Amino acid sequence: MSLTQNWFLVSFPPVRTLDFVLGILAARIVLSGRWIGLPVPAALGLLAAGFAAQVALWPTVYGLTATIVAPVALVITAIAAADLRGAPSLLRSGPLRFLGEISFASYLVHFLVLSFAHIPLGAARSWDAPAATVIIAALFGATTLLSWGLHRLVEVPAMRRWSRPAADTPAPAPAPAPAPVIEPT
């Protein structure tokens, strides 16, 4: 992929705006109760089919996203709807919540870690799979550590200083309690 192709596919503001608007529409669908009820496993199946189509039917640079935009939106929306229902989810586990909390800081530092890591590692070197796995794990660890520091030392204090409490926005309705089972006597 050329730099120009990457820019149009990944960074071009109108393309990112389409993703943003799709996310807004998905959120509105879930919050208004108009979700089609597609279960998470089915949405994941559609995403797998999108990836397969990507490889088989559209193996071009722009095929990287064309076949999975809708399935990714369906997966995210299905997970959000399940979350509002209170369905069990790995996404609410401690480690994934932590990664979610530091995700903006990770977005800010990951490119710097990847960009500068090649200097001590050697830009033109290659490694076998075990060594590459260790290097990737180390880079992930460095990114996570730097992201945690940035989150705790900059993001959290800035939010405390400049954010305002939400203005009486109603919380989503809790999931309905299961109906009691009445056994005949």
Side-chain angles (χ1 to χ4, degrees), residues 163-169:
S163 69
R164 292 180 181 20
D168 295 334
T169 53

Side-chain angles (χ1 to χ4, degrees), residues 63-176:
L64 291 173
T65 57
T67 59
I68 62 166
V69 170
V72 165
L74 289 172
V75 167
I76 292 169
T77 309
I79 290 170
D83 193 41
L84 284 177
R85 284 193 316 273
S89 173
L90 289 175
L91 297 176
R92 286 193 296 266
S93 69
L96 289 181
R97 287 182 66 127
F98 168 74
L99 291 173
E101 288 173 1
I102 67 167
S103 64
F104 181 68
S106 297
Y107 166 74
L108 294 176
V109 302
H110 82 279
F111 186 75
L112 295 171
V113 170
L114 295 175
S115 294
F116 289 103
H118 79 277
I119 296 168
L121 294 173
R125 255 186 97 186
S126 62
W127 293 272
D128 59 7
T133 303
V134 169
I135 290 169
I136 290 169
L139 293 174
F140 178 76
T143 299
T144 302
L145 184 62
L146 289 169
S147 300
W148 172 79
L150 184 61
H151 174 72
R152 293 289 285 165
L153 299 173
V154 177
E155 192 175 347
V156 170
M159 290 296 288
R160 283 190 195 126
R161 170 68 178 92
W162 287 295
S163 69
R164 292 180 181 20
D168 295 334
T169 53

